[in-house]
Amino acid sequence: MAPTSGLLRDDRHMNAAFDAVDIIRAKRDDHELTDPQIDWMIQAYTDGRLAEEQMAALAMAIVLRGMNRREIARWTHAMIASGERLDFSGLSRPTADKHSTGGVGDKITLPLAPLVAACGVAVPQLSGRGLGHTGGTLDKLESISGWRPELSPEQMLRQLDDVGAVICAAGADLVPADRKLYALRDVTGTVESVALIASSIMSKKIAEGTGALVLDVKVGSGAFMKTVEDARVLARTMVDLGTDAGVHTVALLTNMQTPLGLTVGNALEVRESLEVLAGGGPPDVVELTLALAREMLAAAGRTDIDPADRLRDGGAMDVWRRMIAAQGGDPHAELPRAREKHVLLAPADGVLTQLDAMAVGVAAWRLGAGRARKEDVVQAGAGVEIHAKPGAVVRGGEPLMTLHTDTPERFDRALDVLQGSYFIAAEGSRPDLLPLVVERVAAH
Ligand code: URA
């Protein structure tokens, strides 16, 4: 087992001795942690000098007791200091990035990054893979033949200069503390903490070196934050962290009660994103893409351009093709399709008043679009196609959803979770839904 206490031998706290158990007890008993205590825990954990169970105990104490603004800022700072920082300040154009806290059918990064680049602002997007019911942007892009997620910092910089947009995997040197801690939190019931979520997300975004950041904080059944109040606290915490670190940061709270758009699943979502880039696509995906693009452009100081023009005139599609080709992908290749389909029919006439995001996300996952363990392989064509969204009038016997998979033995478990995921009310009823963009949170 790793030692429980020791001397941190680096420049910052030479000769400072800490005992991990004292620090865990302090947070357990609701005391504030000092800056040197936080630095020591993160550094010792990253270096492998702190036992996994000790970090797990501290994470649980933080879930239960929380951290104040100073502690969260220091925790974030210590996480950033665990690895390298990227620097795009030499680029000729400003940079802006977007981060979503994760939702179902959330393919917005795909049309958004090329759209904002087409408006003259560079987008360095470090993305991840899906785990559980929320999809990952890299899994979606990997359904494009030949596309590669790994780029060195030099390749990233060159692509940002040439094309203006990069979506790639974060290198192992970017916030290594989060890489370890996130995996630990995932298996110890310690994901759901505003302090830990905010510091995890913001350490990566600050280390990535973007000049401006727009956060899409999801709220509803398909999101980490189930209520507007909780989402507001998370958004405020992240906006404050970004602002204090010199990153122009804004957050939008957006609806995740129901899936975004009409597709959930990797290749299905790429296909829908291409429709948006071609000037069409579902209205909610277009509206959110434009709302986030306007925020990113404004945060980067470009209020003179309307991104809707770049969807209309093909400018965004042009950047998309160059962005995919620059990473080895064939933008004209046929996207994979699942071998088997099952159509779920509406049981009655009426108005669809509810379609639960979480249930549809879990169904897509069970069909093979997501993974249960990091090493699982996802099916590119698997997922759910939605034919009616809340507010739509439906007729009994008409298709509500089409389920796609290569492995038809998965249909039953997907159908199980969809039981009770939707509600058809009498004609004339209206769904009680949050608006797509619920609220905006900016720096004080
Ligand atoms: N996404 C992250 O990167 N970290 C979290 O803690 C939660 C979501």
Side-chain angles (χ1 to χ4, degrees):
M1 191 199 280
T4 56
S5 63
L7 292 176
L8 180 69
R9 300 204 180 279
D10 79 358
D11 299 344
R12 287 169 303 157
H13 304 299
M14 193 67 93
N15 300 328
F18 293 98
D19 187 288
V21 180
D22 286 346
I23 296 174
I24 297 164
R25 282 200 193 109
K27 186 44 72 183
R28 180 198 66 189
D29 296 340
D30 211 10
H31 298 301
E32 275 186 43
L33 300 182
T34 65
D35 289 353
Q37 283 176 323
I38 291 172
D39 291 347
W40 186 81
M41 285 298 273
I42 298 281
Q43 186 73 49
Y45 181 58
T46 312
D47 296 347
R49 288 176 291 134
L50 189 76
E52 291 286 342
E53 56 269 30
Q54 291 180 311
M55 187 48 109
L58 180 62
M60 185 57 83
I62 292 171
V63 169
L64 298 175
R65 298 298 194 180
M67 290 200 281
N68 65 23
R69 183 169 173 171
R70 180 198 55 77
E71 289 173 294
I72 298 174
R74 191 64 187 199
W75 187 276
T76 308
H77 178 271
M79 301 254 286
I80 295 168
S82 73
E84 287 178 0
R85 291 181 77 152
L86 300 178
D87 179 10
F88 300 123
S89 56
L91 284 176
S92 56
R93 34 183 161 178
T95 50
D97 193 6
K98 183 257 341 185
H99 181 85
S100 156
T101 55
V104 176
D106 184 3
K107 70 279 292 172
I108 299 290
T109 293
L110 306 186
L112 181 65
L115 172 59
V116 171
C119 298
V121 171
V123 184
Q125 256 276 331
L126 297 178
S127 294
R129 294 182 191 284
L131 194 64
H133 74 283
T134 60
T137 300
L138 300 184
D139 294 327
K140 295 172 200 189
L141 285 168
E142 276 178 337
S143 62
I144 300 171
S145 171
W147 186 86
R148 288 185 313 269
E150 280 86 24
L151 292 184
S152 67
E154 296 71 35
Q155 288 170 320
M156 208 179 157
L157 196 61
R158 205 170 321 125
Q159 188 172 323
L160 277 177
D161 228 358
D162 292 350
V163 181
V166 172
I167 303 174
C168 66
D173 293 336
L174 196 99
V175 197
D178 184 65
R179 208 166 266 264
K180 271 186 94 172
L181 184 55
Y182 193 76
L184 179 71
R185 288 168 56 212
D186 204 31
V187 294
T188 54
T190 53
V191 171
E192 293 87 349
S193 146
V194 165
L196 294 176
I197 294 175
S199 55
S200 165
I201 291 173
M202 293 307 293
S203 59
K204 288 174 286 198
K205 291 290 151 183
I206 295 166
E208 167 197 284
T210 184
L213 176 64
V214 176
L215 297 159
D216 181 1
V217 179
K218 300 290 187 196
V219 53
S221 80
F224 280 124
M225 298 294 141
K226 309 292 180 203
T227 66
V228 173
E229 292 69 32
D230 288 349
R232 192 180 289 138
V233 172
L234 178 63
R236 168 57 57 207
T237 306
M238 293 197 289
V239 167
D240 288 347
L241 283 172
T243 306
D244 290 352
V247 180
H248 188 135
T249 310
V250 173
L252 297 184
L253 268 50
T254 72
N255 182 341
M256 190 34 68
Q257 295 169 308
T258 201
L260 202 50
L262 296 172
T263 57
V264 182
N266 300 310
L268 288 168
E269 293 190 41
V270 174
R271 198 165 292 131
E272 188 168 283
S273 303
L274 287 168
E275 288 169 19
V276 174
L277 287 163
D284 57 344
V285 179
V286 177
E287 184 186 334
L288 188 53
T289 302
L290 287 174
L292 291 165
R294 291 191 177 107
E295 291 289 353
M296 287 167 76
L297 293 171
R302 298 296 307 262
T303 44
D304 51 322
I305 300 173
D306 183 0
D309 292 342
R310 297 288 89 83
L311 285 181
R312 269 194 293 271
D313 67 11
M317 179 67 99
D318 184 46
V319 176
W320 162 268
R321 293 194 179 118
R322 291 169 54 219
M323 177 181 87
I324 296 300
Q327 288 172 244
D330 175 359
H332 303 289
E334 184 80 2
L335 288 164
R337 287 179 191 273
R339 283 194 288 275
E340 306 285 340
K341 284 185 194 177
H342 177 95
V343 181
L344 180 67
L345 302 175
D349 293 355
V351 174
L352 184 72
T353 51
Q354 192 184 314
L355 178 62
D356 183 69
M358 178 63 113
V360 177
V362 172
W365 175 33
R366 291 185 178 175
L367 289 164
R371 53 173 72 74
R373 291 165 306 154
K374 277 213 281 282
E375 49 287 0
D376 292 350
V377 176
V378 297
Q379 292 182 21
V384 178
E385 215 179 330
I386 297 162
H387 303 296
K389 295 274 292 233
V393 173
V394 295
R395 296 275 160 242
E398 285 183 356
L400 264 190
M401 288 176 251
T402 303
L403 281 51
H404 298 250
T405 185
D406 291 333
T407 39
E409 60 276 17
R410 293 172 178 264
F411 281 134
D412 282 349
R413 294 221 333 118
L415 287 166
D416 279 352
V417 72
L418 290 172
Q419 288 285 338
S421 69
Y422 57 89
F423 191 76
I424 297 174
E427 279 187 38
S429 307
R430 288 163 66 92
D432 180 21
L433 281 183
L434 290 169
L436 183 59
V437 177
V438 181
E439 206 167 291
R440 181 174 187 274
V441 177
H444 284 305

